[in-house]
Amino acid sequence: MSYDNDNVFAKILRGELPNTTVYEDESVLAFNDISPRTPVHVLVIPKRPYIDMDDFAANGSTEEIGNFFAKVGEIARLVGLQEDGYRLVANNGKNSGQLVPHFHIHIMGGRPLTEDGMTAAM
Ligand code: 5GP
């Protein structure tokens, strides 16, 4: 399976679709989920075109992967979730129900997360 350049996150990265950015640098973009399931629901994506976690782990450099996950932690702090806690979700492939084929991490928080909170992003 090859990367689909027409997926919505590719369009966001090219500026063809609007987004509410919470953080951006040369390698990472974080923006609010269009359909938030928790009071804070941020998506973090690498700017390079990886389909999912499997693709990222197999083809990203160790530096790139380490940098990305460090940024995820920084962004969770930036949006104020470090004290009360949060959940990270990464849907990967068909059985996970991954909708957008550009690797992304959901950062979800702002209230106690029940089972609903966990399944809502899947
Ligand atoms: P997945 O199921 O692939 O892990 O999650 C994809 C997420 O992307 C969903 O939570 C969905 O609400 C969000 N999403 C889909 N299209 C857009 C969009 O155009 N803009 C934003 N900000 N989020 C989107």
Side-chain angles (χ1 to χ4, degrees):
M1 189 174 141
S2 59
Y3 182 81
D4 171 15
N5 278 308
D6 286 331
N7 79 73
V8 289
F9 295 170
K11 290 181 180 174
I12 284 173
L13 284 169
R14 290 196 297 268
E16 295 167 12
L17 284 177
N19 76 92
T20 308
T21 298
V22 300
Y23 176 86
E24 180 170 17
D25 65 20
E26 65 288 349
S27 60
V28 167
L29 179 68
F31 51 96
N32 288 327
D33 195 294
I34 203 168
S35 179
R37 263 77 98 217
T38 48
V40 180
H41 188 169
V42 172
L43 303 171
V44 188
I45 65 175
K47 289 190 170 177
R48 293 191 64 197
Y50 297 105
I51 300 168
D52 57 16
M53 181 63 203
D54 182 66
D55 185 20
F56 191 45
N59 298 309
S61 70
T62 304
E63 186 187 353
E64 196 177 1
I65 293 168
N67 177 62
F68 179 79
F69 283 99
K71 293 284 167 54
V72 170
E74 282 176 29
I75 292 160
R77 217 177 299 126
L78 182 73
V79 297
L81 295 181
Q82 84 284 5
E83 194 165 316
D84 289 338
Y86 54 91
R87 177 170 290 144
L88 302 180
V89 173
N91 291 316
N92 189 92
K94 189 173 55 150
N95 276 359
S96 73
Q98 181 182 359
L99 291 175
V100 180
H102 181 113
F103 172 55
H104 53 282
I105 295 276
H106 298 253
I107 304 176
M108 306 175 79
R111 64 165 166 80
L113 298 173
T114 60
E115 282 304 303
D116 280 353
M118 183 146 100
T119 55
M122 297 180 183

